[in-house]
Amino acid sequence: MKTLFDIFVRKTPHYPNAFKDIIESMSRKRAFDTSVGSEKEKSSQGKLFSNYYQCYLYATILGMRLNYRIPFDRAEGTKFIEIDAWRPRDMTRYIFMGLLALSDINLIDLEGLTDEQTDDKAWNLMRLMEEYAHGGFDIMRSKLKEDKQYFDYNHSVIHFLQEVEAFNVTA
């Protein structure tokens, strides 16, 4: 019997088409870690993220940290890459655990689930992740409306995460 995590990572999320320009402006076009070149060379291309999924992870974390999610109609999105291909794997586990904590899943009940029920829970977690990513992208878009060049600098994603967390603490 596969675990909830094993089934979750076999899912392929979607991202809202409205944020494709943000993903493309902040990420290299390649979606996998097979991209050529050192991190320094990638950075010199003016991209904050080496891969599209890293931008998606960032948006998801923003949404989760601020508990800000927006319902998402998958028909208005683009199919992404399977979660199992995301690296580092520890980050995928972190997202998964955060989603479990934010979901309404009773952890005690996970032990007695059938394969079909486990698959349903994995789909629910993936859809929850899509909603948090949508919220995170919305936050990023709001910042770009204030300052179009905010994310043009190497450490801006770190500074922005600190900025929104400080705002969250004071709010």
Side-chain angles (χ1 to χ4, degrees), residues 7-170:
I7 295 172
F8 172 76
V9 298
R10 302 307 273 162
K11 304 296 181 200
T12 304
H14 287 63
Y15 66 88
N17 292 333
F19 301 111
K20 188 173 184 172
D21 58 332
I22 290 175
I23 294 171
E24 288 181 351
S25 70
M26 295 176 74
S27 310
R28 294 191 70 225
K29 282 212 179 265
R30 292 181 174 236
F32 296 95
D33 282 331
T34 58
S35 56
V36 182
S38 68
E39 288 303 313
K40 186 175 181 180
E41 290 168 333
K42 294 172 190 175
S43 178
S44 71
Q45 296 175 1
K47 304 293 182 174
L48 295 169
F49 300 105
S50 298
N51 304 290
Y52 280 9
Y53 69 83
Q54 291 171 340
C55 187
Y56 189 90
L57 282 168
Y58 181 78
T60 302
I61 290 170
L62 272 175
M64 290 170 63
R65 295 294 295 176
L66 294 174
N67 199 20
Y68 179 56
R69 60 187 234 215
I70 299 173
F72 172 59
D73 180 1
R74 298 183 99 219
E76 296 173 11
T78 299
K79 188 176 181 180
F80 207 44
I81 60 173
E82 186 177 272
I83 297 167
D84 200 34
W86 299 1
R87 298 294 178 264
R89 184 62 153 203
D90 287 344
M91 186 59 77
T92 305
R93 286 185 183 100
Y94 174 81
I95 296 281
F96 175 76
M97 290 185 296
L99 291 169
L100 273 177
L102 293 167
S103 75
D104 60 357
I105 294 175
N106 182 340
L107 299 180
I108 295 170
D109 293 342
L110 289 178
E111 290 185 35
L113 297 178
T114 65
D115 288 343
E116 185 178 316
Q117 291 170 322
T118 304
D119 188 60
D120 287 343
K121 298 287 185 199
W123 273 109
N124 290 341
L125 287 175
M126 198 222 26
R127 284 192 278 278
L128 184 63
M129 180 179 65
E130 290 174 335
E131 291 179 2
Y132 279 116
H134 190 178
F137 282 124
D138 187 57
I139 294 166
M140 293 163 67
R141 178 176 52 193
S142 294
K143 185 63 176 181
L144 286 168
K145 283 182 182 178
E146 284 177 28
D147 181 357
K148 291 183 187 306
Q149 296 161 333
Y150 184 85
F151 291 109
D152 288 351
Y153 308 101
N154 284 342
H155 301 290
S156 59
V157 290
I158 296 166
H159 294 177
F160 187 59
L161 195 54
Q162 292 169 338
E163 181 181 317
V164 295
E165 286 183 1
F167 173 77
N168 196 34
V169 169
T170 60

